[in-house]
């Protein structure tokens, strides 16, 4: 957990969505700041940090949605895990999260716009498997270990064969 993960946005969302809870798997420098913010917003009863868990992806199928509110991100493994496990994804609309994924696979929101985050989460609640199924199919087609390995191999071979 660090500031670039944008997790404070979800705590602020809890203040306006009393039926939501927020579970974080992992540790980091921001843990105490997030806990303090949850107390400030009076949502600490619905905010839980489990800390590091081996094979943390095992928790994802139990989530109603996976929220990735990052301010900066590469290719997040947890996002691919959520896709592979057919869980609706809500994420910030930063280019590194929007550009690699074609179409409307996720529910996007503008950073620091809690009302837009709320709307994206409400849309994910009513997903009924629609976008999550499309994301799952995209994962199977484009992001499995075999597919990504083949893509890297093809790239390597194309670079080696440059005259």
């Amino acid at each position: 957990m660090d500031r670039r993960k944008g997790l404070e946005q979800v705590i602020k969302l809890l203040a306006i969505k009393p039926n939501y809870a927020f579970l974080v798997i992992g540790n980091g420098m921001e843990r105490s700041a997030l806990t303090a913010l949850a107390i400030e917003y009076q949502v600490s009863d619905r905010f839980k940090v489990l800390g590091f868990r081996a094979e943390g992806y095992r928790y994802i199928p139990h989530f109603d949605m996976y929220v990735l509110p990052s301010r900066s991100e590469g290719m997040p493994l947890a996002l691919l895990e959520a896709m592979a496990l057919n869980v609706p994804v809500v994420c910030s609309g930063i280019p590194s999260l929007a550009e690699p994924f074609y179409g409307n696979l996720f529910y996007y929101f503008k950073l620091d716009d809690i009302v837009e985050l709320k709307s994206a989460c409400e849309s994910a609640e009513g997903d009924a498997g629609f976008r999550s199924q499309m994301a799952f199919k995209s994962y199977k087609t484009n992001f499995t270990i075999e597919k990504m390995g083949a893509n890297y191999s093809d790239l390597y071979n194309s670079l080696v064969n440059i005259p």
Side-chain angles (χ1 to χ4, degrees):
M1 289 185 288
D2 61 36
R3 290 201 38 76
R4 72 183 172 89
K5 294 296 182 184
L7 300 177
E8 77 286 347
Q9 297 169 93
V10 183
I11 291 173
K12 292 174 182 178
L13 173 67
L14 294 179
I16 59 174
K17 290 296 287 183
N19 60 324
Y20 281 15
F22 181 31
L23 178 66
V24 177
I25 299 167
N27 275 320
M29 300 176 297
E30 291 295 308
R31 184 176 185 156
S32 61
L34 292 171
T35 300
L37 187 63
I39 292 168
E40 177 185 337
Y41 276 83
Q42 299 179 349
V43 297
S44 57
D45 60 326
R46 296 181 286 125
F47 171 66
K48 177 77 173 159
V49 178
L50 292 182
F52 173 78
R53 294 290 189 267
E55 299 177 355
Y57 66 87
R58 294 176 298 149
Y59 293 86
I60 295 174
H62 304 288
F63 299 163
D64 294 324
M65 67 187 79
Y66 178 82
V67 180
L68 185 64
S70 295
R71 300 178 181 291
S72 173
E73 206 54 79
M75 174 60 83
L77 177 60
L79 177 64
L80 295 176
E81 290 168 342
M83 291 171 70
L85 295 167
N86 202 16
V87 173
V89 173
V90 174
C91 60
S92 57
I94 61 175
S96 62
L97 295 178
E99 291 171 2
F101 304 99
Y102 314 104
N104 292 320
L105 302 179
F106 311 136
Y107 297 92
Y108 293 101
F109 71 96
K110 182 180 168 192
L111 279 173
D112 298 312
D113 188 333
I114 305 307
V115 172
E116 200 170 300
L117 172 57
K118 175 183 175 276
S119 178
C121 288
E122 288 170 346
S123 294
E125 277 184 87
D127 183 77
F130 178 67
R131 285 193 188 180
S132 58
Q133 268 302 324
M134 291 186 341
F136 175 74
K137 289 177 185 173
S138 177
Y139 168 80
K140 292 299 253 180
T141 303
N142 302 304
F143 298 105
T144 62
I145 291 170
E146 295 80 14
K147 181 62 176 175
M148 292 183 78
N151 287 346
Y152 280 120
S153 178
D154 291 347
L155 175 62
Y156 174 80
N157 288 331
S158 72
L159 293 173
V160 169
N161 293 326
I162 295 176

